[in-house]
Amino acid sequence: MTADGRTGQLLVTVEHGWHRGFRDDPATAFGTLTASQPTRRTADGALYAVIQFNATGPDGAGGLQWIARGLLPDGTLVTAKLWTYGPDHRITTDPGVLDQERLTALVTAPSWARA
């Protein structure tokens, strides 16, 4: 995707009924997916976390990657992975195509429950 002059790769997955049938509470299990990042809650009850970390591209160059996860109140888990590319599609340390606020809005959108 390209936005605001930046290019990146975005992968979104949606899992309806995530963690259904497990003994532990989905909110507790969700906390284990966030790599010790704080889990927050939206006004409508969705849990979310955004993780930023260093990644290595196929050419060996280092850059940034983001993983945002949202657990909707109905149990739908949404995961978005974002890599930012610079010239020649090399992963870079440039700011992401989407900022943390936009990634959060993406993974906590109620419409995923009907996707």
Side-chain angles (χ1 to χ4, degrees):
M1 71 176 293
T2 299
D4 301 326
R6 294 188 297 263
T7 300
Q9 182 174 347
L10 177 66
L11 172 67
V12 178
T13 60
V14 178
E15 299 176 60
H16 296 283
W18 177 78
H19 214 68
R20 185 177 295 147
F22 286 83
R23 291 182 184 194
D24 59 338
D25 173 51
T28 302
F30 181 77
T32 65
L33 295 177
T34 63
S36 71
Q37 293 296 314
T39 299
R40 296 185 170 96
R41 188 178 299 270
T42 63
D44 66 354
L47 297 173
Y48 70 93
V50 178
I51 305 161
Q52 175 183 309
F53 57 93
N54 293 324
T56 303
D59 61 357
L64 296 176
Q65 178 179 354
W66 295 266
I67 297 178
R69 289 191 171 96
L71 180 60
L72 304 182
D74 76 338
T76 299
L77 177 69
V78 181
T79 302
K81 295 181 181 183
L82 175 66
W83 300 264
T84 296
Y85 292 107
D88 301 321
H89 295 282
R90 293 175 181 249
I91 192 167
T92 72
T93 56
D94 293 342
V97 175
L98 301 176
D99 60 18
Q100 185 168 340
E101 185 177 318
R102 288 178 175 172
L103 279 170
T104 298
L106 176 69
V107 299
T108 60
S111 57
W112 290 117
R114 298 178 304 279

